[in-house]
Amino acid sequence: MPELPEVETIRRTLAPVLVDATIVVTLRGERPDDILLDPWPSFAHRVRGQRIVGLERRGKYLAIRLADDHYVLVHFGMTGELQLARPNDPPARHCHLAFVLRSSRAVPGIATDRKGRFVLRYYDVRRFGQIGLLTADEWSRHAARLGPEPFDPQVDPVALWRQLGRRRAPVKAVLLDQTLLAGIGNIYADEALFRAGIHPLRRCATLSAPEVERLLTALRDVLTAAIQERGTTIRDFRDGRGEKGTYQRQLQVYGKRAGTPCPRCGTPLERVRVGGRSSTACPRCQPLARDAPRSPLNDVQRQR
């Protein structure tokens, strides 16, 4: 599933091309009703002729802002992709809808037809993604339901420690809860927990304040590096120009087979299930200390 770095990469790829372009028409592909939150005729009619004025991202959501202050909201599900193409290029399988666009200016790095048109196609093999048209108020309310992003300077390790202290669930499961921190999924939760030396099955209430501070730093470092590498491509992810990400070359534990030597200490890695998700951890670098005492608040304040 595209997580924060992948969606940010898509946004950065598409923004220079889409901003100031006008939606000429929307083309029906395979089974668009599986993807759209609105009836097909209504959606196609309402976006026709609209100029794109911005691309925003919130957590794992991409929002294409239109001139009439509506937003085309895209959630990519497991295998969703937005791909740029020439109008005459035939779509591949699993293309569910396409926007034909025209730009009044030169489109950087995109081949257009003689009328200056190009296409943005939405592909989704598993059809878990969603696309809908929202008003500005609806988009604001939706964004407000998500937690802050790890990069938000207002995300304070002490406040985060207090929040986690009220949870008895495993820390990996809570990291995937988008109402706590938005944008984190399976890949970057595993990688950050490994960097922080915290087992995915550790109960949140057992985490010390210094551990939570270490975890927040690890999340920020991993997400920053993944954005710089334009995301992680395990199987499906491509940016708007069809290019793969490269952060998979830096993965330490995510997706590794059980028994693979830990990249830090050589101990065989283990695979565990957390909330129905498979997770990889090192039992030595990430000890499962379920009954670890929580540090006093002033311990972390003295360290900061």
Side-chain angles (χ1 to χ4, degrees):
M1 176 183 295
E3 302 177 28
L4 187 155
E6 288 74 46
V7 181
E8 178 62 17
T9 297
I10 293 169
R11 189 195 68 79
R12 294 183 182 188
T13 303
L14 293 180
V17 179
L18 296 187
V19 173
D20 287 335
T22 297
I23 300 173
V24 178
V25 68
T26 305
L27 302 178
R28 185 184 180 96
E30 304 174 17
R31 305 178 68 168
D33 296 330
D34 290 353
I35 305 298
L36 288 173
L37 299 177
D38 308 278
W40 165 259
S42 172
F43 178 83
H45 174 74
R46 291 168 67 190
V47 301
R48 184 171 185 171
Q50 288 294 322
R51 184 171 60 89
I52 296 173
V53 296
L55 266 71
E56 302 175 12
R57 182 195 54 76
R58 183 76 170 87
K60 302 177 186 180
Y61 292 87
L62 180 72
I64 303 172
R65 183 158 62 94
L66 306 178
D68 69 350
D69 219 20
H70 281 72
Y71 290 79
V72 176
L73 184 66
V74 183
H75 186 268
F76 295 92
M78 295 292 292
T79 56
E81 299 178 30
L82 283 171
Q83 295 289 323
L84 294 164
R86 286 173 55 93
N88 293 331
D89 294 341
R93 288 187 60 199
H94 309 295
C95 176
H96 300 290
L97 60 90
F99 301 96
V100 178
L101 303 114
R102 181 186 292 114
S103 182
S104 60
R105 57 183 175 80
V107 181
I110 296 298
T112 60
D113 66 8
R114 289 182 298 176
K115 296 182 179 180
R117 297 176 303 182
F118 60 98
V119 175
L120 180 68
R121 294 180 173 135
Y122 180 77
Y123 293 93
D124 198 337
V125 174
R126 300 185 69 178
R127 303 193 307 277
F128 290 156
Q130 293 183 322
I131 296 177
L133 189 64
L134 275 61
T135 66
D137 286 344
E138 289 170 336
W139 166 234
S140 295
R141 289 196 297 271
H142 176 80
R145 287 194 290 268
L146 300 173
E149 298 189 3
F151 296 124
D152 191 328
Q154 296 184 4
V155 176
D156 177 82
V158 174
L160 182 60
W161 175 69
R162 286 172 172 158
Q163 286 182 284
L164 292 174
R166 296 192 288 267
R167 310 257 193 134
R168 295 196 57 80
V171 61
K172 167 71 178 287
V174 174
L175 286 178
L176 300 183
D177 177 0
Q178 301 301 296
T179 64
L180 177 75
L181 291 173
I184 302 167
N186 225 19
I187 297 174
Y188 303 110
D190 272 7
E191 291 296 299
L193 287 167
F194 177 72
R195 284 200 187 200
I198 298 170
H199 198 282
L201 288 173
R202 276 281 301 276
R203 299 288 176 181
C204 289
T206 71
L207 294 173
S208 69
E211 284 177 316
V212 172
E213 186 166 31
R214 201 162 66 234
L215 176 58
L216 181 58
T217 298
L219 283 168
R220 288 169 170 167
D221 289 347
V222 166
L223 293 172
T224 297
I227 291 172
Q228 291 173 346
E229 294 296 323
R230 303 175 69 257
T232 300
T233 298
I234 304 298
R235 287 184 298 272
D236 301 297
F237 171 68
R238 302 290 188 277
D239 67 17
R241 296 178 184 268
E243 301 293 329
K244 297 180 180 180
T246 57
Y247 189 71
Q248 63 272 13
R249 301 170 187 169
Q250 299 184 29
L251 295 176
Q252 300 291 294
V253 294
Y254 176 79
K256 305 294 184 183
R257 294 179 180 271
T260 303
C262 169
R264 186 179 295 156
C265 72
T267 300
L269 297 176
E270 62 180 7
R271 298 292 293 273
V272 297
R273 300 290 291 181
V274 184
R277 302 286 189 92
S278 180
S279 299
T280 307
C282 172
R284 181 176 181 183
C285 297
Q286 300 166 265
L288 182 53
R290 292 175 181 267
D291 56 351
R294 283 173 60 78
S295 297
L297 181 62
N298 57 5
D299 282 359
V300 71
Q301 290 175 331
R302 282 198 297 267
Q303 293 184 27
R304 294 182 67 195

